[in-house]
Amino acid sequence: MTNTVPAAGPVRRLAGTLHSHPRLQLSLLLSAPLTWLVLAYIGSLAALFMSAFWMTDSFTSNVVKVWNTDNFTALFTTDVYRQVALRSVGVALAVTALCAVIAFPIAFYTARIARPKWRPLLVVAILTPLWASYLVKAYAWRLILAEGGLLDWALAPFGLEGPGYGLTATVLVLTYLWLPYMILPIHAGLEQLPANLLDASADLGARTGRTFRSVVLPMLLPSVAAGSVFTFSLSLGDYIAVQIVGGKTQLIGNVIYSNITLDLPLAAALGTVPVVVIVLYLLAVRRTGALSSL
């Protein structure tokens, strides 16, 4: 009597093929998210860029699909658009710098000074503000910064008053909103910093400031750059905070929002500005190794 091995079914054959071809298996796993990324994200960016070359009928406000570069010409030749773009980049850089300055002592405490059993709780505390609604936090700051509000009340004994609504308030609120995105990468970088390097620097006679400049800061530069990717890009594209606490301040986000129903091609041309700026910023920070730290 001869034993016959049953023929493998299609499912088993497919499993065997995938097992022997790991790259094919990885390609199939990534096909769905990559397809969604191409269609939903890259496709929408392509549509945005294409519509920026159209025009709007001044009488009917309808979009006319006639190819021209008038919208981009207006961006470079109109003073208000140049000022808004430069102001937006300046706000994003200011928020990033403030977040870095504030994040360093907080991250150093949570990563190097606090007891190990408290560190996870401190990280959770840092993340807690992110769980609250964006609008709730923004409107809370509107009440704090209002004339006669909490900040004015706290500064009154010193003969000072709060900044009120405007550009300073916008930078302050955005710094508060995106600060956790800067703290976490620096915290992770400090945890990986070898303690013997700090001890060696101290043994060689370096003081705290010299150790920070010569040892800590160069090794944490990729972490700072990684956090800056979030703070810079989120600040550059934000349009809600400036609407709530910005007063008459105009940033590129709310200018795009105000034009989206009136002049869609112009709004699309304005929308390409932060995309280009962020791409250039990513190319710049890529040299620091920040993208591998994300």
Side-chain angles (χ1 to χ4, degrees), residues 81 84 239 243 250-260 267 270:
Y81 293 139
V84 167
Y239 71 96
Q243 291 283 91
Q250 293 288 312
L251 298 182
I252 195 164
N254 54 313
V255 172
I256 294 172
Y257 177 77
S258 62
N259 280 279
I260 198 70
L270 288 167

Side-chain angles (χ1 to χ4, degrees), residues 122-235:
L122 292 174
V123 172
V124 172
I126 293 171
L127 292 173
T128 299
L130 298 178
W131 301 345
S133 170
Y134 179 103
L135 290 176
V136 170
K137 294 182 288 187
Y139 275 106
W141 272 100
R142 180 177 176 87
L143 295 177
I144 294 173
L145 295 169
E147 184 178 355
L150 180 61
L151 187 58
D152 281 349
W153 174 81
L155 296 176
F158 305 97
L160 303 174
E161 60 181 12
Y165 302 142
L167 192 61
T168 302
T170 302
V171 173
L172 180 63
V173 173
L174 290 176
T175 300
Y176 166 78
L177 290 173
W178 312 137
L179 181 60
Y181 293 103
M182 181 65 78
I183 296 177
L184 293 178
I186 297 177
H187 172 90
L190 285 169
E191 279 191 326
Q192 299 173 4
L193 183 67
N196 55 3
L197 291 180
L198 303 180
D199 296 336
S201 178
D203 292 340
L204 293 172
R207 297 184 178 181
T208 303
R210 179 62 184 273
T211 301
F212 177 78
R213 293 193 306 271
S214 302
V215 179
V216 177
L217 188 58
M219 297 193 67
L220 287 184
L221 185 59
S223 299
V224 176
S228 73
V229 171
F230 293 103
T231 58
F232 182 83
S233 59
L234 291 172
S235 300

Side-chain angles (χ1 to χ4, degrees), residues 19 21-22 53 71 81 87 112 115 117 136 153 159 180 184 190 198 206 224 226 243 261 281:
H19 179 73
H21 297 82
F53 290 95
N71 295 315
Y81 293 139
R87 186 184 305 127
R112 311 296 300 191
R115 295 181 179 180
K117 67 177 182 179
V136 170
W153 174 81
L184 293 178
L190 285 169
L198 303 180
V224 176
Q243 291 283 91
T261 56
Y281 189 81

